[in-house]
Amino acid sequence: EVSVMGGKGKGKGGRTGKAKDNRDEDDCSRRVDRRSLRTRLQEHRAQQKQSDNSARFGRVVDLIVGTHQELDIAALCGTLVQEERAQIFPALLVALPAHSDLIRLDLSHTPLHDHVDAFAATLQSNSVLLSLKLAFCGLTASSSQVLAQALVVNSHLTELDVRANEIEHVGATAFMQAGLQKLVMGSCRVGADGIRSIAAVLRVD
């Protein structure tokens, strides 16, 4: 009898242990399923975000190559990621010569470090643009001289905004001698030498 009772107890314990193992397996399976679902959702969101970014980039490029009298690149690029913003200015360089109606262009907050020479060449041959904003574009004294030389050739552009660029007195003087009707400067590290240079140009004019 003792032997039989012991056998029953063992069988009951075995069934309980097996049921527990099944529950553990079910819980583990549900955890795996939840992780898998979370991973798939994250991948879907990433793909959707990439698709949305590509669509926004496409719309910005369409606007750049379209027909407009005014373009504000900073406003257009506000929704783009950094890598896409870097591609906008080269696209603009290609599109700008074909613009026959664009008279006001705002490139503020657009880094020009790698494109100054190409942009200067484009400005030299442009006969439509009247107003150009280059605030916060990372211009230096040397890049300012390059652009100023282009503006000497371009007699059509009359207004230039170069605020918040470290153009120093060399760049300020170069822009002052470019024959512009309106030149906006501020926070440009012009210094006392620049002020004297500007005053000298104004006295000559």
Side-chain angles (χ1 to χ4, degrees):
E1 292 178 0
V2 173
S3 176
V4 171
M5 288 178 63
K8 288 182 178 179
K10 183 178 180 182
K12 185 177 180 180
R15 288 194 296 271
T16 302
K18 187 175 181 179
K20 184 176 183 300
D21 289 343
N22 289 336
R23 287 196 299 272
D24 290 344
E25 289 178 2
D26 290 342
D27 291 342
C28 182
S29 178
R30 282 194 290 271
R31 285 196 295 270
V32 171
D33 288 343
R34 284 196 293 270
R35 285 197 295 268
S36 177
L37 177 59
R38 189 180 300 113
T39 300
R40 289 198 298 270
L41 287 173
Q42 289 172 344
E43 290 175 351
H44 175 72
R45 291 192 189 104
Q47 291 172 355
Q48 187 64 43
K49 183 177 181 181
Q50 184 177 6
S51 177
D52 291 344
N53 287 340
S54 297
R56 285 195 294 268
F57 180 73
R59 287 194 293 270
V60 171
V61 172
D62 288 342
L63 286 171
I64 287 176
V65 301
T67 302
H68 307 279
Q69 286 193 325
E70 300 185 27
L71 267 182
D72 186 339
I73 298 300
L76 290 177
C77 294
T79 59
L80 300 181
V81 297
Q82 189 62 37
E83 292 79 6
E84 292 167 335
R85 291 186 183 189
Q87 300 176 46
I88 289 299
F89 194 74
L92 177 65
L93 286 177
V94 174
L96 195 56
H99 275 289
S100 59
D101 300 310
L102 184 62
I103 59 175
R104 285 179 288 275
L105 176 60
D106 189 347
L107 289 174
S108 299
H109 299 277
T110 304
L112 300 182
H113 312 96
D114 300 327
H115 308 288
V116 170
D117 290 335
F119 188 46
T122 301
L123 285 178
Q124 282 186 357
S125 58
N126 186 283
S127 60
V128 180
L129 202 61
L130 301 178
S131 175
L132 177 62
K133 291 185 178 181
L134 299 177
F136 297 93
C137 286
L139 296 178
T140 62
S142 58
S143 59
S144 297
Q145 288 179 301
V146 173
L147 291 176
Q149 290 171 0
L151 294 178
V152 170
V153 177
N154 182 336
S155 60
H156 299 275
L157 195 143
T158 58
E159 298 182 5
L160 178 65
D161 182 346
V162 290
R163 287 172 296 170
N165 289 285
E166 296 186 359
I167 64 175
E168 303 178 359
H169 74 279
V170 174
T173 304
F175 283 131
M176 285 294 298
Q177 296 172 337
L180 298 164
Q181 294 180 12
K182 181 179 179 180
L183 175 62
V184 181
M185 293 185 290
S187 301
C188 289
R189 297 187 63 182
V190 171
D193 290 337
I195 293 175
R196 284 193 289 270
S197 298
I198 292 170
V201 174
L202 291 174
R203 282 196 296 270
V204 171
D205 291 342

